[in-house]
Amino acid sequence: MSATIAPSTLDVSKILSRRVQSVDASGIRKVFDLAAHLKDPINLSIGQPDFPVPDILKQAAIKAIEENRNGYTPTQGCPELLRAIWSRLGSEVGWTNDPAHGLSTIATSGTSGALVLGMMAVLDPGDEAIVPDPYFVMYPQLGALTGGKMVLCDTYPDFRMTADKIEKLITPRTKAVLVNSPGNPTSVVLNSKELQDIVDLCRAKGILLISDEIYDEFTFSESRENGHFPTPARFTRDCLLIRGFGKTYGCTGWRLGYVAGPHDIVQSIAKLQQYTYVCAPSMAQYAAAHAFEVDMRPWVDRFEKRRDTVLAAFDGVAQVAKPGGAFYAFVEVPPALGMTASQFVEKAIERSVLVIPGKVFSTRDTHFRLSFAAKEETLARGLDVLRGIMLGK
Ligand code: PMP
C-alpha cells in the first residue's frame, strides 16, 4: 500500500538562492523553443562539429570501459592523459612539468568546468574579471556563479579584444582578463602581436591572463603563424590556459577539458575539483590520452572552405568580421533593413532557417551567429535564404 503524498506547500521562490535567481536561462534555448514546430529546419545554430569522434578515441574509451577501468581517476587526471598533455604543451609552446617552470595541469569536466573552477579560485566577491562582448554565453554568468563581477569589453566592430580596449577597464579590483581566441560567437583570431601586448599589460598590472583556447585546433591557414595557432603561452607562463577536447574531436558530450598554468593556481583548482566534480569522466580521459595522435587537419581545411563559402555569400550584402577559426560567423543584420537581429532571426525561422540572435551573446542585438558546422549542402541552402531576406526577396 502506498502512502498518501501531501500536497506541496513549499514556496520555492523563498528557497532559491539570489545566486541562481540572477542566472539567466540560455537564450539559445529560447530560439529552439521558437523553432520547435519546424519539421526539418535548416539548422545553422549548432555549436558543435558535424563529424564523428575519431575511431582511435572511440576504441580507447570502449577498451577502458571493458577493462573495468571505470573508477575514479586521480583528481588531476589519469597519468597517461597528463603525460599526453605535457608532451603536447612541450612541443607546442615549450611548457613542461619541469619544477623550474612552476607549472601544473589538471583535466577538468569540460572547458566549462575549467572556467567555473578557475574563476572560483581567483575571484572574491566584488573582484572583477574583464571578458569580451560579444561573449561565450557562460562568461557573464560566471559573475553570478562566483560572486565576482564580469566587466564587458566592447570589441565591436572588428571583435578584436586588444590591450588598449582592456586597459581602459582595469580598476583596483581587476584580477583577471579572459581572452577567447578563436572566439565564440565571432571566430575572430588574435595575432601574436595583439596577444603579446595583452601579456605585457597583464604583467605590468599584476593581473592574471586566462586564455580560453577551446577552438585552438580550428585555426585557419591565414591565422596560423609558422603553422601554429597564436597563443599567449608562447610569451608567458603567467597565464591560465584553458583548453578542451569536445569541439576538436567531436565529443562534446564526453565533458573533458584541461587547465595548465601557474602551479599554485592549478593546485587551487584541484582542491575545488576534489569537492565538486571529483575528477573528469574517466573513459573520456583514457580516450583523450590518444587525442594528440589524431590529425584533424583535413576537417579544419574543410571548415576553412565552408568559411569561404559563408564570406562569399554575404559579400556586398552584409558585414562579417572574417572568421579566422572555429566554425561561426557573426553576421551584421544590414542596418538598412531597420530591424533588430532578433526580428531578423524570427524571419529566418519563418523560412525554416535557425541562427542565433546576437543579443544571446552580447549587450547588442545587431548581429546573428551562424554556425558552419553543417553539411555543405545544408549550409548553401541556409545561406541562400538568409541572403534572400537581406535582399528583400
Ligand atoms: N568556451 C567557449 C568559447 C565555448 O564556445 C564553449 C562551448 N560552446 C566552452 C568554453 C565550453 O565547452 P565545453 O563543452 O568543453 O564545456
Side-chain angles (χ1 to χ4, degrees):
M1 213 177 74
S2 62
T4 311
I5 298 179
S8 172
T9 54
L10 189 66
D11 182 351
V12 176
S13 67
K14 287 197 181 130
I15 299 292
L16 289 173
S17 67
R18 273 195 286 276
R19 177 188 311 112
V20 79
Q21 294 194 51
S22 70
V23 171
D24 277 338
S26 165
I28 296 185
R29 222 186 307 154
K30 290 177 198 155
V31 175
F32 289 153
D33 289 346
L34 268 181
H37 66 283
L38 297 179
K39 268 230 171 64
D40 189 16
I42 301 170
N43 195 346
L44 304 182
S45 71
I46 305 281
Q48 59 184 340
D50 58 318
F51 49 75
V53 179
D55 268 338
I56 182 170
L57 270 75
K58 282 186 188 166
Q59 294 313 322
I62 291 166
K63 186 162 178 275
I65 291 171
E66 288 187 343
E67 287 177 354
N68 300 317
R69 288 184 284 144
N70 295 301
Y72 300 121
T73 70
T75 293
Q76 295 216 204
C78 70
E80 45 273 67
L81 176 59
L82 297 181
R83 266 197 305 276
I85 291 171
W86 281 124
S87 155
R88 168 60 178 234
L89 290 175
S91 61
E92 189 195 336
V93 294
W95 281 23
T96 71
N97 60 349
D98 178 341
H101 280 185
L103 292 166
S104 204
T105 189
I106 179 171
T108 53
S109 289
T111 314
S112 303
L115 284 163
V116 172
L117 297 185
M119 286 297 183
M120 278 179 73
V122 167
L123 299 181
D124 282 318
D127 286 343
E128 296 172 7
I130 299 172
V131 301
D133 176 356
Y135 40 73
F136 165 46
V137 289
M138 181 194 214
Y139 293 169
Q141 312 303 336
L142 284 166
L145 291 175
T146 63
K149 182 174 166 203
M150 298 295 128
V151 176
L152 299 181
C153 178
D154 183 335
T155 65
Y156 288 83
D158 59 6
F159 307 122
R160 311 195 77 81
M161 185 161 158
T162 51
D164 57 321
K165 291 177 193 162
I166 296 167
E167 187 165 14
K168 297 188 184 89
L169 301 171
I170 293 174
T171 75
R173 295 305 301 265
T174 309
K175 275 202 169 162
V177 170
L178 174 53
V179 167
N180 175 217
S181 167
N184 178 5
T186 67
S187 294
V188 164
V189 177
L190 298 178
N191 61 41
S192 283
K193 168 78 178 69
E194 290 166 319
L195 293 167
Q196 172 88 67
D197 288 347
I198 297 172
V199 166
D200 291 346
L201 174 66
C202 288
R203 169 163 301 164
K205 302 279 184 186
I207 293 170
L208 176 69
L209 175 58
I210 304 177
S211 188
D212 178 348
E213 303 185 352
I214 187 168
Y215 300 102
D216 58 346
E217 286 286 314
F218 280 80
T219 303
F220 302 143
S221 47
E222 80 288 342
S223 299
R224 293 195 287 264
E225 296 175 3
N226 303 318
H228 291 294
F229 148 76
T231 165
R234 239 177 272 291
F235 312 114
T236 184
R237 290 194 280 262
D238 286 336
C239 167
L240 211 56
L241 276 194
I242 297 188
R243 292 182 170 183
F245 294 93
K247 309 276 180 180
T248 311
Y249 303 100
C251 54
T252 47
W254 285 6
R255 312 305 310 131
L256 191 65
Y258 68 95
V259 182
H263 178 79
D264 289 349
I265 299 179
V266 174
Q267 290 312 312
S268 302
I269 290 172
K271 201 160 61 171
L272 294 173
Q273 174 141 293
Q274 207 152 28
Y275 298 115
T276 50
Y277 303 98
V278 181
C279 65
S282 60
M283 79 297 284
Q285 291 190 54
Y286 296 122
H290 298 276
F292 304 121
E293 298 162 26
V294 183
D295 180 12
M296 297 307 289
R297 188 58 65 80
W299 272 105
V300 178
D301 291 346
R302 188 162 167 187
F303 276 54
E304 183 170 334
K305 288 205 184 79
R306 292 178 183 173
R307 182 275 312 265
D308 292 341
T309 307
V310 171
L311 288 178
F314 292 114
D315 189 27
V317 180
Q319 298 288 332
V320 192
K322 188 175 183 174
F327 33 75
Y328 310 109
F330 204 52
V331 184
E332 186 185 31
V333 174
L337 293 183
M339 59 173 95
T340 64
S342 296
Q343 289 166 331
F344 181 88
V345 168
E346 276 178 37
K347 283 200 178 308
I349 290 175
E350 280 166 23
R351 298 189 194 189
S352 286
V353 175
L354 242 67
V355 287
I356 311 281
K359 72 168 187 195
V360 170
F361 312 98
S362 177
T363 48
R364 303 196 198 179
D365 195 23
T366 51
H367 293 60
F368 62 86
R369 189 189 78 174
L370 171 159
S371 161
F372 45 90
K375 298 280 169 282
E376 283 72 7
E377 182 267 333
T378 308
L379 181 62
R381 281 196 295 140
L383 289 171
D384 247 17
V385 171
L386 296 169
R387 231 178 99 89
I389 301 173
M390 289 174 180
L391 295 172
K393 286 186 193 158

